[in-house]
Amino acid sequence: MSKRKILIQLDGDDLPSVFDRVVAVDAGAEEIFSYGGITPEQVRDLVYGAMFTRGPKDLKSTAVFVGGSDVGAGEKIFAEVQKAFFGPLRVSLLLDCSGANTTAAAAVVAASRHVSLEDRKALVLGSTGSVGRRVARLFARKGAEVRVASRDVARATEVAEEIRGSVDGVRIQPFATGEVDGLRAALDGVEVVVAAGGPGVELLSLEERERLVAQPMGHSLQVLIDLNAVPPVGIAGIEPTDAAVERDGVTTYGAIGVGGTKMKIHKAAVARLFEANDLVLDAEEVLDIGLAL
Amino acid sequence: MSKRKILIQLDGDDLPSVFDRVVAVDAGAEEIFSYGGITPEQVRDLVYGAMFTRGPKDLKSTAVFVGGSDVGAGEKIFAEVQKAFFGPLRVSLLLDCSGANTTAAAAVVAASRHVSLEDRKALVLGSTGSVGRRVARLFARKGAEVRVASRDVARATEVAEEIRGSVDGVRIQPFATGEVDGLRAALDGVEVVVAAGGPGVELLSLEERERLVAQPMGHSLQVLIDLNAVPPVGIAGIEPTDAAVERDGVTTYGAIGVGGTKMKIHKAAVARLFEANDLVLDAEEVLDIGLAL
Amino acid sequence: MSKRKILIQLDGDDLPSVFDRVVAVDAGAEEIFSYGGITPEQVRDLVYGAMFTRGPKDLKSTAVFVGGSDVGAGEKIFAEVQKAFFGPLRVSLLLDCSGANTTAAAAVVAASRHVSLEDRKALVLGSTGSVGRRVARLFARKGAEVRVASRDVARATEVAEEIRGSVDGVRIQPFATGEVDGLRAALDGVEVVVAAGGPGVELLSLEERERLVAQPMGHSLQVLIDLNAVPPVGIAGIEPTDAAVERDGVTTYGAIGVGGTKMKIHKAAVARLFEANDLVLDAEEVLDIGLAL
């Protein structure tokens, strides 16, 4: 008889996420061991409990999910989990703090339905948050020419440097988009725009959007994706429920429109954990799962 | 395939109640997410996790149970859960802190097996506790003439006012029953008496009980219910296991006798949560479930 | 329909053990209620929740597991659980803090496969830890002549006294084995040696081991068991994976070799809990389960 599928939820927040637990149930995890307020120091003993209880052929029925609202804290937990492994004694794990990996993957999956990303110009507005950084990194991995934007050019530059350090041969450029001139420069010639700013922050006004598509020599814009569901949305004129809606000749997605794909990816990623005992699912692997759906 | 039934247990006590978890399992909840030490501030994000993970037709497979020993704290949590909902995005919920709703409902169900409550005189001894208040409120809703008793008339008056504020057209009167005269006045002409005092506190002595049923012109008393299982019991001469036992021509129930009904109601209420996504089960709704069993 | 099997995990550590939860799942527990950071004061209400929710014939489907890394703290919790019971209102429980009971039982089961323990000389090196104490106690119960060793004779004496106080007619003697003379005295004529020291502490060197089996008049040593998996191991020359391996004419077991038996015993003990509602499984009962496998 095969072992019951156990997902160990390590959450940096005091209360382990209900959201992640429900998704885990719906993804087929049969037992969820939920731990909140997890610090990196506590990880090793918990992971040993996963490694040393089942035989090698059953290790794939135990897996670890790292979550919580603080992505930086989660990345440390994620690293500690991997440090605890030795040799073939390991279990699969997934990082999805604040839903950042699955959301970023869903945005890139949405864009890739309409444009091949290779060598295309892709702009990420609000690129310094955890979702924005991941969207930019994933675009870079897919061979796009990436533009990372922020009101603060120093922060955008920091994101660009981080991605240069992790993706070989990447073409990436920071933009300061707080002022209209910088925004227009960032938008010039782009094919894909993803807005990944905070709730209630408009990053692209209706005026600038209309100006962009009304250029006398035509425009290259094909896809506009807004990941903010809280009004005002990040890209004016997009409805949160937009899912491949045509607006002014441009395909648009809103946060809820992308959310459906995010949920499918999240569930598929959790289900995938139980297919082998050596998977490490960070943004890139989550994107591959999303692209294969 | 229908979704697994998830019950989210929000408990104000540091350790989420084992009692409530066992009942939830036996009521058919397939997954229980237990959270202890919950404060009202923490409720929203947890409830969002319930609201935003499953599609509209599956929302009825997720529900919330609010428990803990502090009824006041639980009522605040219960209110916060409802505030988190918007529109059809909601899940069903049940309040049963300290078992007060299910116990009160069970007492009223027991009484109603023997007397129609409408226009009958019903006395609640020890009415200022969480169970007593609810018994009085439920009697009031069912149209009884309610007498709420306490050693301290000010506190009984406060209970009467509270119920006047929540039940239209209620007839309710406070009594100070610490002295024998007040007790005799409260008992005069009553048909149902429920004792809902603390453990080990006798509220009705054998002497007064015998005096009541030995009145030369006959008496109206039909049902005596004691909700205290710890000796000395609240109504002298009642055995905790009494369940519709005839004593001196009066039908009696003890705490354990009522407890069986309470457990059935508790389980039925949890099971009911999964039949729709918009149920709000407080004392009244729990009583209706009990009366329909 | 029979009730679902609920195991209530009371763990003295802040985070309830993943190890114990996985084993509980694999042993057939259908619901695990995990509580961490448990203090003796918190036990009663939790156990009441187990006692007062299911009818007498279903009480065997609820059980309690006491764990955590601190054996002394766990023993207090274990005692409190039993104090909460009254009469037939009780559930079965298992103590296995730090795996000490199942590990000690596994060591004694391994030894008893090769030697009848009655009247045999058995030496426990590193006898003052929680596993060592239990191995010595179990050897004593099985009628062996027990030698308990420590670098510190006062501590070994304390262990000997403790076991004298709990096992009638026991023959037990303390040894100081920090110096080679004391070690040789302890080893003289023994048939079984179990090393239960801390990780990375060598208690028996290769030189002394070879000297023991090379005695001109022959030797009585039959079984060497080392419970330390972290190098250097406790008995030089034993591999952690040894499981009844013949070395110099002596049967040897290493920590991983014993570990397989420990896991089987642990699972069998948890499964046993659900066969009756009145079992109290401490080291002795766990050993009996192990001997019957």
Side-chain angles (χ1 to χ4, degrees):
Chain A
M1 199 181 75
S2 76
K3 298 285 182 188
R4 287 176 72 72
K5 292 176 196 161
I6 296 173
L7 188 67
I8 301 165
Q9 179 188 21
L10 303 183
D11 199 305
D13 296 346
D14 283 348
L15 302 177
S17 160
V18 165
F19 189 103
D20 291 334
R21 291 173 89 163
V22 174
V23 174
V25 167
D26 289 348
E30 292 168 296
E31 305 283 344
I32 302 167
F33 299 173
S34 294
Y35 293 89
I38 290 299
T39 60
E41 297 70 40
Q42 296 174 314
V43 167
R44 201 189 59 178
D45 281 355
L46 297 171
V47 175
Y48 279 1
M51 291 158 58
F52 296 133
T53 36
R54 291 173 156 184
K57 74 177 202 323
D58 293 317
L59 278 175
K60 70 175 185 199
S61 297
T62 309
V64 173
F65 176 90
V66 178
S69 58
D70 182 334
V71 178
E75 286 175 334
K76 286 192 189 106
I77 294 170
F78 191 63
E80 285 299 317
V81 174
Q82 295 174 71
K83 275 192 221 160
F85 298 154
F86 40 90
L89 283 178
R90 53 190 297 134
V91 298
S92 290
L93 78 161
L94 166 61
L95 175 67
D96 199 29
C97 284
S98 203
N101 277 342
T102 50
T103 303
V108 175
V109 165
S112 72
R113 282 185 198 128
H114 308 282
V115 226
S116 144
L117 293 168
E118 184 132 24
D119 297 326
R120 300 306 176 92
K121 292 184 180 68
L123 168 63
V124 184
L125 297 169
S127 69
T128 60
S130 55
V131 173
R133 278 170 197 259
R134 280 169 169 72
V135 171
R137 195 171 98 200
L138 294 174
F139 277 152
R141 298 261 186 204
K142 291 291 158 191
E145 279 188 51
V146 186
R147 296 173 181 186
V148 284
S150 171
R151 273 163 307 188
D152 178 354
V153 76
R155 295 187 63 210
T157 303
E158 186 259 313
V159 171
E161 288 308 318
E162 179 186 289
I163 293 173
R164 272 197 198 102
S166 73
V167 185
D168 282 348
V170 65
R171 286 161 298 171
I172 190 161
Q173 213 183 329
F175 284 82
T177 50
E179 304 295 322
V180 77
D181 286 353
L183 178 62
R184 288 179 187 172
L187 287 165
D188 185 53
V190 291
E191 284 144 307
V192 177
V193 177
V194 175
V201 180
E202 186 182 271
L203 297 172
L204 179 53
S205 67
L206 205 57
E207 190 184 345
E208 289 303 315
R209 226 187 102 191
E210 285 169 351
R211 187 180 176 281
L212 181 63
V213 297
Q215 291 173 72
M217 285 116 63
H219 68 91
S220 54
L221 188 64
Q222 298 190 50
V223 186
L224 274 178
I225 297 173
D226 185 12
L227 298 176
N228 170 29
V230 180
V233 293
I235 300 178
I238 288 190
E239 291 293 324
T241 51
D242 280 3
V245 169
E246 199 78 14
R247 293 186 184 274
D248 305 325
V250 175
T251 304
T252 64
Y253 284 85
I256 296 172
V258 173
T261 303
K262 179 239 181 294
M263 287 299 285
K264 285 196 189 86
I265 294 175
H266 189 161
K267 275 184 223 173
V270 172
R272 176 70 55 88
L273 291 172
F274 298 108
E275 294 177 7
N277 77 319
D278 59 357
L279 303 175
V280 178
L281 308 183
D282 199 344
E284 285 74 11
E285 296 77 18
V286 169
L287 173 59
D288 288 342
I289 289 168
L291 290 170
L293 283 180
Chain B
M1 201 181 71
S2 77
K3 298 286 182 189
R4 286 177 71 74
K5 293 175 196 161
I6 295 172
L7 187 67
I8 300 165
Q9 179 188 20
L10 303 182
D11 198 306
D13 295 345
D14 282 349
L15 302 179
S17 160
V18 165
F19 188 103
D20 291 334
R21 290 173 89 163
V22 174
V23 174
V25 167
D26 289 347
E30 293 168 297
E31 306 282 344
I32 302 167
F33 299 173
S34 294
Y35 292 89
I38 290 298
T39 60
E41 296 72 38
Q42 296 174 314
V43 166
R44 200 190 60 178
D45 281 355
L46 297 172
V47 176
Y48 278 1
M51 291 158 58
F52 296 134
T53 36
R54 291 173 157 184
K57 73 175 202 322
D58 292 318
L59 277 175
K60 70 175 185 201
S61 297
T62 309
V64 172
F65 175 90
V66 178
S69 58
D70 182 335
V71 178
E75 286 173 335
K76 286 192 188 107
I77 294 169
F78 191 64
E80 284 298 318
V81 174
Q82 295 173 74
K83 274 192 220 160
F85 298 153
F86 41 90
L89 282 178
R90 53 190 298 133
V91 298
S92 290
L93 78 161
L94 167 61
L95 175 68
D96 198 28
C97 285
S98 203
N101 276 342
T102 50
T103 302
V108 176
V109 165
S112 72
R113 283 187 198 126
H114 309 282
V115 227
S116 144
L117 294 169
E118 184 132 23
D119 297 325
R120 302 303 176 92
K121 291 184 181 66
L123 168 63
V124 183
L125 296 170
S127 70
T128 61
S130 55
V131 174
R133 279 169 197 260
R134 279 168 171 72
V135 171
R137 195 171 98 201
L138 293 175
F139 277 151
R141 298 260 187 203
K142 291 291 157 193
E145 280 189 50
V146 187
R147 297 173 181 188
V148 285
S150 170
R151 274 164 305 186
D152 177 354
V153 76
R155 295 186 63 209
T157 303
E158 186 258 314
V159 171
E161 288 307 317
E162 178 186 287
I163 293 171
R164 274 199 196 99
S166 72
V167 185
D168 282 348
V170 65
R171 288 161 296 171
I172 190 160
Q173 211 182 331
F175 284 82
T177 49
E179 305 295 323
V180 77
D181 285 354
L183 177 62
R184 288 179 187 171
L187 287 165
D188 184 53
V190 291
E191 285 144 305
V192 177
V193 177
V194 175
V201 179
E202 185 181 272
L203 297 171
L204 179 54
S205 67
L206 205 55
E207 190 184 346
E208 288 303 315
R209 227 188 100 191
E210 284 169 352
R211 188 181 176 283
L212 182 63
V213 296
Q215 290 174 72
M217 288 117 64
H219 68 92
S220 54
L221 189 63
Q222 299 191 49
V223 186
L224 275 178
I225 297 173
D226 184 13
L227 299 175
N228 170 29
V230 181
V233 294
I235 300 178
I238 289 191
E239 292 292 323
T241 52
D242 279 5
V245 169
E246 200 78 10
R247 294 186 183 274
D248 304 324
V250 176
T251 305
T252 64
Y253 283 85
I256 296 171
V258 173
T261 304
K262 178 238 179 298
M263 287 300 284
K264 284 196 190 84
I265 295 175
H266 189 161
K267 275 184 223 173
V270 172
R272 177 70 54 87
L273 291 172
F274 299 108
E275 294 176 7
N277 77 318
D278 59 357
L279 303 174
V280 178
L281 307 183
D282 200 344
E284 285 74 12
E285 296 79 15
V286 169
L287 173 60
D288 288 342
I289 289 169
L291 290 170
L293 284 180
Chain C
M1 200 181 74
S2 75
K3 298 286 183 190
R4 287 177 70 75
K5 293 175 197 161
I6 295 173
L7 187 67
I8 300 165
Q9 178 187 21
L10 302 182
D11 198 306
D13 295 346
D14 283 348
L15 302 178
S17 159
V18 165
F19 188 102
D20 291 334
R21 291 172 88 163
V22 174
V23 174
V25 167
D26 289 348
E30 293 168 296
E31 305 283 343
I32 303 166
F33 298 172
S34 294
Y35 292 89
I38 291 299
T39 60
E41 297 71 40
Q42 296 174 314
V43 166
R44 201 190 58 179
D45 281 355
L46 297 172
V47 175
Y48 278 1
M51 290 157 59
F52 296 133
T53 36
R54 292 174 156 183
K57 74 176 201 321
D58 292 318
L59 278 175
K60 69 175 186 201
S61 297
T62 309
V64 173
F65 175 90
V66 177
S69 57
D70 183 336
V71 178
E75 285 173 336
K76 286 192 188 107
I77 293 169
F78 191 64
E80 284 299 318
V81 173
Q82 295 174 72
K83 275 192 221 160
F85 298 153
F86 41 90
L89 283 177
R90 51 189 300 133
V91 298
S92 291
L93 79 160
L94 167 61
L95 175 67
D96 197 30
C97 284
S98 203
N101 277 342
T102 50
T103 302
V108 175
V109 165
S112 73
R113 283 185 199 128
H114 308 283
V115 229
S116 145
L117 294 169
E118 184 132 21
D119 297 325
R120 300 307 174 92
K121 291 184 180 65
L123 168 63
V124 184
L125 296 170
S127 70
T128 60
S130 55
V131 174
R133 278 169 199 261
R134 279 168 170 72
V135 171
R137 195 171 98 200
L138 294 175
F139 277 151
R141 297 259 187 206
K142 291 292 157 190
E145 279 189 50
V146 187
R147 297 173 181 187
V148 285
S150 171
R151 273 164 307 187
D152 178 354
V153 74
R155 297 186 62 211
T157 303
E158 185 259 313
V159 171
E161 288 308 318
E162 178 186 289
I163 293 173
R164 273 198 199 101
S166 73
V167 185
D168 282 348
V170 64
R171 287 161 296 173
I172 191 162
Q173 212 184 328
F175 285 82
T177 49
E179 304 294 323
V180 77
D181 286 353
L183 177 62
R184 288 180 187 170
L187 287 166
D188 184 52
V190 291
E191 284 144 307
V192 178
V193 177
V194 175
V201 180
E202 186 181 272
L203 297 171
L204 179 54
S205 68
L206 204 56
E207 191 184 344
E208 288 303 315
R209 227 188 101 191
E210 284 170 352
R211 188 181 174 282
L212 181 63
V213 297
Q215 289 174 74
M217 285 116 64
H219 68 92
S220 53
L221 189 63
Q222 298 191 50
V223 186
L224 275 177
I225 297 174
D226 184 13
L227 299 175
N228 170 29
V230 180
V233 292
I235 300 179
I238 289 190
E239 291 292 324
T241 52
D242 280 3
V245 169
E246 199 76 13
R247 293 186 184 274
D248 304 325
V250 175
T251 306
T252 64
Y253 284 85
I256 296 172
V258 173
T261 303
K262 178 237 180 295
M263 288 300 285
K264 284 195 190 85
I265 294 174
H266 189 161
K267 276 184 222 173
V270 172
R272 177 70 53 88
L273 291 172
F274 299 108
E275 293 176 7
N277 77 318
D278 59 358
L279 303 174
V280 178
L281 308 183
D282 200 343
E284 285 74 11
E285 296 78 17
V286 168
L287 173 60
D288 287 342
I289 290 169
L291 290 170
L293 284 180

